[in-house]
C-alpha cells in the first residue's frame, strides 16, 4: 500500500533588541545598534535593533502541516513549532529587513495517513536559514537556504511496515506574508520534493503554517513586531 505522509515543516522566525546606553547625568534608553525611526521592523513603536532575537510560536488554534498535496487534508500535523531568528539588518522603510532563522522545531505531531501509526519526529536540517521581511505591498516574507545547505525536512514515522524515514528539500521559493494585525508570518504550500527515504514516502510534500505573535524577545516585555 502506498503511503502519503505529509510532513510538517515550517518555516520561519526572528529576533530583535534595542541596546540601552546610559546618559552621563541621568539614565536614558538610547539604542546603540538600533536603526533610525521609520525602519522596516518596529516593536512597540520603536525600531528593532540589529542583533535582537525574534521569537514566535504557532498562531493560536493552528497547526504546522506537511501534506502530500495542496489540500492539506492528509499528512503530518504538529501542534507546536516555535522558531527563533536573529536580526541582521533593519534598514529604513521602504526596504527589506533580514534575519537568520537559527531555530525551528516541531512537537506534538500526529499523522492521518493510512499505515502510519505514529510520528517519532519531524526535524529541519541545514540551519540557519536566511529570512527576508519586506515593507512592500502585502509584506512578503522569503525564506532561503543558508551556507549549510538547502532547506530540508525529515520525518521519522512508525508504520505497519516498520520505521519509515522520509527526507525532503525545498524545490522552489519558500515565501509567505506578514500580517500586522495578528503580528504573524503565514506560509502556505511551500513545495518540497523527496531527496531520500523509503519508496513508500510520497514524492513531494507541501508545508503550511502560521507563526505568531512575532515578538522581540530582547526588549523588556517582548513587544510584538510590525513590518512597516
Amino acid at each position: 500500500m502506498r503511503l502519503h505522509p505529509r510532513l510538517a515543516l515550517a518555516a520561519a522566525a526572528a529576533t530583535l533588541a534595542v541596546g540601552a546606553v546610559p546618559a552621563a547625568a541621568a539614565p536614558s534608553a538610547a539604542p546603540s545598534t538600533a536603526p533610525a525611526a521609520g525602519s522596516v521592523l518596529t516593536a512597540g513603536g520603536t525600531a528593532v535593533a540589529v542583533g535582537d532575537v525574534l521569537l514566535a510560536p504557532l498562531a493560536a488554534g493552528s497547526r504546522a502541516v506537511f501534506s502530500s498535496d495542496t489540500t492539506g487534508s492528509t499528512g503530518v500535523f504538529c501542534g507546536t513549532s516555535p522558531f527563533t531568528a536573529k536580526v541582521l539588518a533593519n534598514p529604513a522603510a521602504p526596504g527589506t529587513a533580514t534575519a537568520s532563522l537559527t531555530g525551528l522545531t516541531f512537537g506534538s505531531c500526529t499523522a492521518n495517513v493510512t499505515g502510519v501509526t505514529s510520528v517519532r519526529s519531524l526535524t529541519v536540517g541545514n540551519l540557519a536559514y536566511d529570512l527576508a521581511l519586506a515593507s512592500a505591498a502585502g509584506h512578503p516574507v522569503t525564506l532561503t537556504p543558508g551556507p549549510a545547505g538547502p532547506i530540508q525536512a525529515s520525518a521519522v514515522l512508525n508504520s505497519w511496515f516498520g520505521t519509515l524515514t522520509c527526507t525532503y528539500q525545498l524545490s522552489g521559493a519558500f515565501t509567505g506574508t506578514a500580517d500586522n494585525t495578528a503580528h504573524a508570518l503565514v506560509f502556505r504550500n511551500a513545495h518540497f520534493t523527496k531527496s531520500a527515504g523509503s519508496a513508500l514516502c510520497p514524492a513531494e510534500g507541501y508545508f503550511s503554517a502560521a507563526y505568531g505573535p512575532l515578538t522581540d524577545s530582547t526588549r523588556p516585555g517582548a513587544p510584538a513586531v510590525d513590518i512597516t
Side-chain angles (χ1 to χ4, degrees):
M1 177 181 297
R2 182 174 180 82
L3 299 181
H4 297 285
R6 101 158 154 239
L7 319 173
L9 184 167
T15 54
L16 316 162
V18 175
V21 178
S28 62
S32 59
T33 57
S39 297
V40 174
L41 301 179
T42 61
T46 302
V48 169
V50 170
D52 282 7
V53 174
L54 300 178
L55 299 179
L58 286 176
S62 71
R63 298 181 294 178
V65 176
F66 199 96
S67 57
S68 56
D69 59 42
T70 58
T71 67
S73 59
T74 304
V76 175
F77 305 82
C78 295
T80 63
S81 179
F83 78 70
T84 304
K86 183 176 182 179
V87 176
L88 301 178
N90 186 18
T96 299
T98 59
S100 177
L101 182 64
T102 56
L104 179 61
T105 60
F106 298 90
S108 301
C109 300
T110 60
N112 65 351
V113 179
T114 302
V116 174
T117 57
S118 63
V119 179
R120 285 193 181 184
S121 65
L122 179 65
T123 58
V124 296
N126 300 329
L127 289 170
Y129 304 148
D130 296 328
L131 181 66
L133 306 102
S135 57
H139 301 309
V141 176
T142 306
L143 196 64
T144 54
I151 295 175
Q152 179 175 290
S154 295
V156 180
L157 310 170
N158 294 321
S159 78
W160 297 343
F161 309 97
T163 302
L164 302 177
T165 299
C166 305
T167 300
Y168 295 81
Q169 292 183 349
L170 185 68
S171 63
F174 197 132
T175 59
T177 57
D179 177 356
N180 281 338
T181 300
H183 304 289
L185 305 181
V186 181
F187 301 97
R188 290 190 177 91
N189 290 328
H191 184 227
F192 288 76
T193 56
K194 189 175 77 171
S195 57
S198 168
L200 295 174
C201 301
E204 57 188 356
Y206 296 86
F207 174 75
S208 298
Y211 291 91
L214 181 67
T215 61
D216 183 348
S217 69
T218 307
R219 296 264 297 277
V225 174
D226 288 310
I227 301 178
T228 303

